[in-house]
Amino acid sequence: MPDSGLSKNENRPLSDNAADAATIVDAKVIVACPGRNFVTLKITTADGIYGLGDATLNGRELAPVAYLENHVIPNLIGKDARRIEDIWQFLYRGAYWRRGPVTMRAVAAVDMALWDIKGKMLGAPVVDLLGGRSRDSVMVYGHANGGDIEQTTDEVARYIDLGYKAVRAQTGVPGVRGAYGVGRDKMYYEPADAALPRETLWATAPYLQYAPKLFEALRAKFGFDVHLLHDVHHRLTPIEAGRLGRALEPYSLFWMEDPTPAENQDAFRLIREHTTTPIAVGEIFNSIWDCKDLIQHQLIDFIRATVLGAGGITHLKRIADFASVWQVRTGCHGATDLSPVTMSAALHFDSWAPNFGIQEYMRHTPETDAVFSTDYAFNDGALVIGDTPGLGVDIDEKEAAKHPYDPKQLPIARLEDGTMWNW
Ligand code: KDG
Ligand code: MG
């Protein structure tokens, strides 16, 4: 072959140069507590492009940190950051031990960071890599909560005044100390609030009497134009959930969330037999295997799996596509323990997903916003992402360093006789 006259390096195929540039040369975990704990993964390539991922596991943050630092990062160094799917499969199949909240958060963090890098490499927002926007903005719901029906009604009014088209309503229940969802701070509800778990009380009977009265009062005051949602937070048995769903039917809820624990997917058949109130499940799911039966047997209406919980954008896209066959829509978890990195990734995903339903949105505190800069904005009850390449999120590491890890756990719930219950 005649000598081209190019130096050895210049003569190499373009893809080899690109592969060199895309080689992962560094990955590190940043743990910070700007108002609450967040675990952030930062992956850097040879040409200096970096991407961010979120691995926060509320109340158990150091488990994904150890998994990432000891078992994932050593495997990433030297890999081609462009091979998102292969790295996903490597981390999922290659570990032999599959699924679970710790493993899948680590996989999710890597996946988010790689999509972020790819977007930056190509100069495109991640939504464009997914197939482009299916909508200009994504409807979100906020959290209204109060100690009783009157206080919750005032809170719903406040959210409507802020422009929200959808509001989750939770109320304290007489005789139930610490009923789920009643926070101390109105705008920044944060349940992980003590180094050792705070004990709350649970009593199903008064809750089942009281909860429908909340929605009766809300519909009487606000009519039916606003979407109302409610989170049962895994507290009921299937037949109790069926009864609640039926009692709520006149108030036309957008959804009733987590009516019963979902380890047993078959349990939802019983609920379905008794009510047409739409059901949303999945904030604690880690993979398609946790929701496959619920979806294909049409036992739920909204899948709440997230980018953070369910293995990143790569796997959530797979879940959403599967769900679309059964007309199940998405409703991604978006509590404050999902960092601005996850929220950014979720909004790119939501803006694309053809079967998008709604996005949960709990605002982060000003301390959190000082650590993470984002490219999304709230307007008229919806969030809009901009066109910044990648996920459009960044971390100020100096600011993060001012907020060291502060151990905080989620509360637990007990029945009146002391029996442990589902929080
Ligand atoms: O970390 C736990 C919270 O994310 C969870 O309790 C919030 O149920 C929740 C919700 O629907 O946002
Ligand atoms: Mg929930």
Side-chain angles (χ1 to χ4, degrees), residues 168 180 231 233 257-258 283 304:
R168 184 187 97 156
Y180 171 76
D231 191 350
H233 221 256
E257 177 183 335
D258 286 336
E283 68 183 39
R304 274 177 58 65

Side-chain angles (χ1 to χ4, degrees), residues 26 105 107 227 315:
D26 189 46
R105 269 172 174 72
V107 175
H227 295 301
H315 194 65

Side-chain angles (χ1 to χ4, degrees), residues 100-116:
V102 176
T103 310
M104 294 305 280
R105 269 172 174 72
V107 175
V110 173
D111 189 77
M112 280 183 238
L114 296 182
W115 279 99
D116 193 19

Side-chain angles (χ1 to χ4, degrees), residues 15 17 89 95 109 122 135-136 154 224 266 278 321 353 369 377 379 382:
S15 59
N17 287 326
Q89 300 292 339
L122 300 176
R135 59 197 62 77
D136 295 329
D154 290 348
F224 283 77
D266 260 352
D321 281 337
D369 291 342
N379 182 34

Side-chain angles (χ1 to χ4, degrees), residues 188-239:
Y188 307 113
Y189 171 66
E190 179 51 71
D193 57 4
L196 291 174
R198 186 166 51 88
E199 272 197 21
T200 62
L201 186 72
W202 180 250
T204 296
Y207 167 74
L208 284 178
Q209 290 301 321
Y210 201 67
K213 292 188 185 135
L214 168 66
F215 290 93
E216 183 183 12
L218 294 177
R219 285 300 183 210
K221 184 155 173 106
F222 303 111
F224 283 77
D225 285 344
V226 62
H227 295 301
L228 295 177
L229 301 81
H230 183 63
D231 191 350
V232 183
H233 221 256
H234 327 273
R235 301 291 167 98
L236 302 178
T237 65
I239 196 66

Side-chain angles (χ1 to χ4, degrees), residues 271-413:
I271 306 176
R272 276 295 209 223
E273 279 165 14
H274 292 279
T275 182
T276 57
T277 292
I279 297 172
V281 176
E283 68 183 39
I284 68 167
F285 288 173
N286 308 128
S287 78
I288 198 164
W289 304 105
D290 297 328
C291 49
K292 169 179 95 49
D293 293 350
L294 287 173
I295 291 170
Q296 73 183 350
H297 299 306
Q298 296 190 289
L299 301 177
I300 59 172
D301 302 281
F302 295 91
I303 177 67
R304 274 177 58 65
T306 63
V307 174
L308 168 67
I313 293 171
T314 298
H315 194 65
L316 191 61
K317 191 171 183 301
R318 207 148 275 152
I319 293 175
D321 281 337
F322 180 74
S324 72
V325 173
W326 312 99
Q327 298 187 46
V328 171
R329 289 187 287 159
T330 65
C332 290
H333 187 206
T336 36
D337 45 300
L338 290 88
S339 91
V341 178
T342 288
M343 275 309 290
S344 301
L347 294 171
H348 283 269
F349 169 82
D350 295 338
S351 299
W352 159 78
N355 51 333
F356 168 76
I358 199 167
Q359 169 68 52
E360 182 179 22
Y361 176 47
M362 283 170 84
R363 285 162 197 257
H364 289 113
T365 60
E367 297 103 290
T368 298
D369 291 342
V371 169
F372 295 95
S373 55
T374 56
D375 185 22
Y376 56 80
F378 177 84
N379 182 34
D380 200 24
L383 284 168
V384 184
I385 43 161
D387 280 326
T388 304
L391 293 176
V393 62
D394 208 348
I395 185 166
D396 180 336
E397 290 183 56
K398 283 205 181 101
E399 191 61 33
K402 293 181 193 163
H403 303 279
Y405 177 61
D406 182 12
K408 290 269 186 338
Q409 294 191 47
L410 289 167
I412 57 154

